Amino acid sequence: MEKSAKIFIAGHLGLVGSAIKRRLEAEGYTNLILRTLDELDLTNQQAVRDFFAAEQPQYVFLAAAKVGGIRANNVYSAQFIYENLMIESNIIHSSWEQKVKKLLFLGSSCIYPKLAPQPLKEDCLLTGLLEPTNEAYAIAKIAGIKLCQMYRKQYGCNFISVMPTNLYGPGDTYHPEDSHVIPALIRRFHEAKMQGLAEVVCWGTGSPRREFLYVDDLAHACYTLMHTYNEAEHVNIGTGADQTIKEIAEMIAETTGFKGSISWDSSKPDGTPQKLLDMSKLHSLGWRHKTELKEGLKIAYEDFLKRYP
Ligand code: GDP
């Protein structure tokens, strides 16, 4: 991928896309093609086709998606399945039509069966039933992997897929109800501290285990794989270690300086009991994460304070 290559980052304003943009800019890439939602509706087939025909990108990072936490996935399930299927179908098909040299599709660790053996290996995909709270998103993301594989098989396209674990970091969405656990709790603990509240309520039982990756580490992994990986099978991207949600809540309380107590609302869903990725494949390709959770949470909190003064 030469420095002057024409690279389309779909979703460059999101958590993942903005991290990929930072990485490419830091590496000296100067020919990035970027479109906001107002400029290009990626669910619109004709608009995407026209855009690809006019711009002819050589490389594509497919980071655009309708995303959200456990509640948003449940409440907006029709939007999650429809918009994600449309975005990825339109971009992958247009990438084939316009002879894109290489495309990297981003999925999610929720593609794996709810009760698959942990840590989750790439080959446990489609071996069991999905976690119901994020089924809509997972089905769309599984379809994205299969699109990349089928376009490779039938047309010889070099389209690859990566499956990141739960992500966090600068550029996240800090919505009180619709975001993922880390940004939601950064906001809730910060607001409780500012308002002098004695207690913060978190969702579920606190017992599920989750693995978290700092988003700039993900962007580095994507950048590396765009240069080195050319196979049909998707690649897990994580740290290989997980924590309970209770431990995460305690770490966020400490990061934000909240000194009160934490309670649990078990009427809210826990989601899948554990989602720990098996990292053997990416580790064997020589990549490891750099940012540990404590340090990453500190940077995420600084980002929150800057963006939501
Ligand atoms: P998931 O990994 O797909 O389940 O996505 P989330 O990041 O939304 O949730 C992870 C876990 O954190 C679940 O067990 C939630 O019940 C728990 N959790 C605790 N408090 C919150 C909260 O305020 N928001 C969210 N999104 N999850 C929370």
Side-chain angles (χ1 to χ4, degrees):
M1 200 164 68
E2 29 338 318
K3 303 279 176 191
S4 61
K6 222 170 174 188
I7 305 171
F8 175 42
I9 308 173
H12 74 285
L13 294 176
L15 174 67
V16 171
S18 61
I20 291 174
K21 178 169 173 278
R22 276 197 294 284
R23 166 57 52 182
L24 290 174
E25 284 171 347
E27 299 284 349
Y29 286 85
T30 51
N31 204 356
L32 306 183
I33 312 173
L34 311 168
R35 290 292 184 278
T36 64
L37 181 57
D38 284 346
E39 290 163 347
L40 175 62
D41 175 2
L42 295 169
T43 66
N44 181 324
Q45 185 182 31
Q46 194 58 52
V48 174
R49 266 185 138 151
D50 293 345
F51 162 77
F52 269 80
E55 290 292 342
Q56 308 253 323
Q58 294 167 285
Y59 297 88
V60 174
F61 287 88
L62 208 178
K66 171 90 176 161
V67 295
I70 192 162
R71 178 187 173 275
N73 259 279
N74 243 338
V75 176
Y76 311 117
S77 54
Q79 283 166 272
F80 269 69
I81 192 163
Y82 172 75
E83 291 180 31
N84 286 312
L85 284 170
M86 293 303 287
I87 291 169
E88 66 205 26
S89 300
N90 290 341
I91 293 179
I92 290 168
H93 188 75
S94 291
S95 294
W96 163 65
E97 278 184 333
Q98 297 303 331
K99 302 185 175 54
V100 163
K101 284 187 185 169
K102 190 162 181 179
L103 173 145
L104 181 144
F105 169 70
L106 282 122
S108 151
S109 59
C110 70
I111 58 162
Y112 293 116
K114 178 181 174 111
L115 299 177
Q118 307 276 333
L120 300 153
K121 282 193 188 306
E122 282 87 354
D123 65 8
C124 73
L125 181 66
L126 292 172
T127 56
L129 295 176
L130 297 166
E131 155 62 31
T133 53
N134 47 33
E135 191 179 14
Y137 188 72
I139 290 282
K141 290 295 178 182
I142 293 169
I145 298 174
K146 292 296 166 190
L147 278 164
C148 290
Q149 290 176 349
M150 303 308 164
Y151 277 69
R152 171 183 293 275
K153 188 167 151 236
Q154 186 177 345
Y155 302 130
C157 299
N158 193 4
F159 295 170
I160 63 170
S161 301
V162 300
M163 297 303 123
T165 190
N166 290 33
L167 302 167
Y168 71 99
D172 217 335
T173 306
Y174 298 90
H175 190 281
E177 285 170 342
D178 290 345
S179 54
H180 284 101
V181 61
I182 287 184
L185 295 191
I186 285 179
R187 178 170 178 162
R188 199 167 310 143
F189 280 109
H190 172 77
E191 288 178 353
K193 180 183 79 173
M194 300 312 281
Q195 292 162 20
L197 302 182
E199 184 190 61
V200 160
V201 181
C202 301
W203 298 356
T205 60
S207 62
R209 301 187 70 87
R210 292 289 183 275
E211 176 188 13
F212 294 97
L213 179 68
Y214 183 65
V215 72
D216 285 272
D217 286 352
L218 169 79
H220 184 258
C222 292
Y223 178 75
T224 306
L225 290 168
M226 196 60 149
H227 282 87
T228 56
Y229 186 76
N230 300 299
E231 309 292 329
E233 192 184 52
H234 59 281
V235 184
N236 287 342
I237 308 181
T239 63
D242 63 0
Q243 292 79 23
T244 63
I245 293 299
K246 187 166 176 283
E247 288 164 339
I248 296 296
E250 285 162 0
M251 286 178 86
I252 296 175
E254 193 186 319
T255 306
T256 56
F258 172 74
K259 303 268 189 273
S261 63
I262 303 172
S263 64
W264 297 89
D265 175 0
S266 57
S267 70
K268 298 277 200 310
D270 266 342
T272 198
Q274 191 179 19
K275 263 200 283 199
L276 176 63
L277 292 178
D278 182 298
M279 285 298 297
S280 322
K281 185 169 173 171
L282 191 49
H283 285 172
S284 74
L285 297 171
W287 186 89
R288 271 178 194 277
H289 75 285
K290 288 207 181 73
T291 315
E292 295 303 337
L293 191 53
K294 195 169 175 185
E295 180 194 352
L297 286 176
K298 202 166 155 269
I299 309 171
Y301 184 46
E302 282 160 12
D303 172 62
F304 168 78
L305 291 175
K306 223 179 336 171
R307 290 174 48 229
Y308 294 79

